[in-house]
Amino acid sequence: MIVRDRPNALRLFFVVKGALIQRIWPQLLGVGLLSTAIVAAHRQMPGLVPGVNPAAFALIGVAISIFLSFRNNASYDRWWEARKLWGQIIETSRSIARQTAVLSPDPERRAILENVIAFAQTTVHQLRGKPRGPAPDAILSDTAVTVARLLRAGRLDQVEALALNESLSRLTHALVGCERLANTPVPFPYTLLLHRTAYIFCFMMPFGLADSLGWATPLAVMLVAYNFFGLDALAEELEEPFGTMPNDLPLSAYATVIERHMRAALGDELPEAPAPKDYVLT
């Protein structure tokens, strides 16, 4: 996730990180070169390369803009829901640290909080398609067994055990929500239809602007293409909120925040606080 202060109005024009220009510059260059070739051909051979009424492009552009807005809203909803689920994981982890304070300095408390750390870290790896160690759900099940053992031994009363089990249930709920997002992408036809339509529109636009704008046509077409291709690329990033692209969620940072809180509760040395690198928090 990109983390930076908002630049002033002038510097905003020169910001590269987060502008998506690194992903779409080949398409922009291709559109610019094609537009230049079409304008040149239209001027040299107007009968062979005729101009087109630009009114039709205005109507089509409005339709594509509405469709782009729909897809970006759908992608942003997925991104925001994933952020809320991880907020729930962080909140519940902190609750467990407080709820286990009655066990201090019992080694069982360390086992529970170490499991919370492991749960956060393995969830990150699982959501990013690189599972390591036991599954997150297995870690929660092991923690529930520990709570049950403490209850039977009389080191937790029923209210304390119930509170801990409710916290484990909230972690399970958040985990299932994250797995649902990770395993259910936006229907592929939406991506395919928008991608094709936006490209065809930008490739055809020079024919509608060649008469009215002349040699300024490539600049105008590239400006429109920057918006269409950029929004398409942004929606693609937000659609998969657990990835490692610059605009995806910083899952590793979230897991580190949880570990720092658990270590603080145990009195251990804290890991280094997460910090953005080149304005990107991973």
Side-chain angles (χ1 to χ4, degrees):
M1 184 169 66
I2 296 175
V3 180
R4 63 176 302 163
D5 295 331
R6 181 181 174 86
N8 59 42
L10 180 61
R11 292 183 61 192
L12 273 174
F13 283 99
F14 303 99
V15 170
V16 175
K17 182 67 69 174
L20 298 170
I21 194 71
Q22 295 153 310
R23 291 190 59 187
I24 63 174
W25 72 264
Q27 296 96 307
L28 295 181
L29 180 61
V31 167
L33 293 175
L34 177 64
S35 300
T36 302
I38 291 174
V39 172
H42 176 67
R43 286 178 169 250
Q44 295 294 326
M45 300 172 289
L48 184 62
V49 185
V52 180
N53 189 339
F57 289 96
L59 294 175
I60 297 173
V62 170
I64 296 176
S65 298
I66 294 173
F67 194 20
L68 267 171
S69 176
F70 168 78
R71 184 177 176 232
N72 275 269
N73 284 340
S75 297
Y76 180 79
D77 284 345
R78 290 170 56 85
W79 184 90
W80 184 242
E81 182 180 359
R83 179 63 186 93
K84 290 192 293 184
L85 290 170
W86 269 93
Q88 180 178 333
I89 292 174
I90 294 172
E91 175 191 4
T92 305
S93 299
R94 292 177 176 177
S95 295
I96 292 176
R98 291 191 298 269
Q99 291 162 355
T100 56
V102 296
L103 296 172
S104 184
D106 196 306
E108 296 290 2
R109 186 194 189 201
R110 174 172 291 277
I112 293 173
L113 298 190
E114 290 279 2
N115 274 0
V116 172
I117 295 172
F119 166 79
Q121 293 173 343
T122 56
T123 299
V124 172
H125 296 314
Q126 176 176 298
L127 294 176
R128 288 182 168 170
K130 301 176 181 178
R132 300 178 189 175
D137 190 61
I139 295 174
L140 294 180
S141 297
D142 180 68
T143 307
V145 170
T146 300
V147 172
R149 185 170 62 250
L150 292 170
L151 176 63
R152 288 194 299 269
R155 287 186 279 174
L156 286 175
D157 60 33
Q158 291 187 351
V159 174
E160 293 164 343
L162 178 61
L164 278 169
N165 280 317
E166 287 178 347
S167 294
L168 294 176
S169 295
R170 287 197 297 272
L171 289 180
T172 299
H173 179 270
L175 173 63
V176 171
C178 289
E179 291 173 340
R180 169 173 49 81
L181 289 174
N183 298 327
T184 312
V186 173
F188 181 68
Y190 284 123
T191 302
L192 183 62
L193 179 60
L194 179 59
H195 189 77
R196 285 177 174 173
T197 306
Y199 273 74
I200 292 174
F201 176 79
C202 291
F203 290 151
M204 295 294 295
M205 193 185 305
F207 291 98
L209 301 180
D211 280 328
S212 57
L213 295 183
W215 291 111
T217 296
L219 180 61
V221 173
M222 290 176 70
L223 181 61
V224 174
Y226 173 69
N227 282 274
F228 282 179
F229 297 163
L231 286 173
D232 184 35
L234 178 60
E236 184 180 344
E237 287 190 21
L238 298 183
E239 179 184 342
E240 301 293 341
F242 305 123
T244 56
M245 300 297 289
N247 291 293
D248 290 329
L249 292 175
L251 302 190
S252 298
Y254 295 157
T256 301
V257 167
I258 292 173
E259 182 178 3
R260 283 174 59 84
H261 199 89
M262 299 302 105
R263 297 293 179 195
L266 293 170
D268 294 348
E269 182 180 353
L270 303 184
E272 185 178 351
K277 183 178 180 180
D278 193 20
Y279 301 114
V280 177
L281 191 63
T282 59

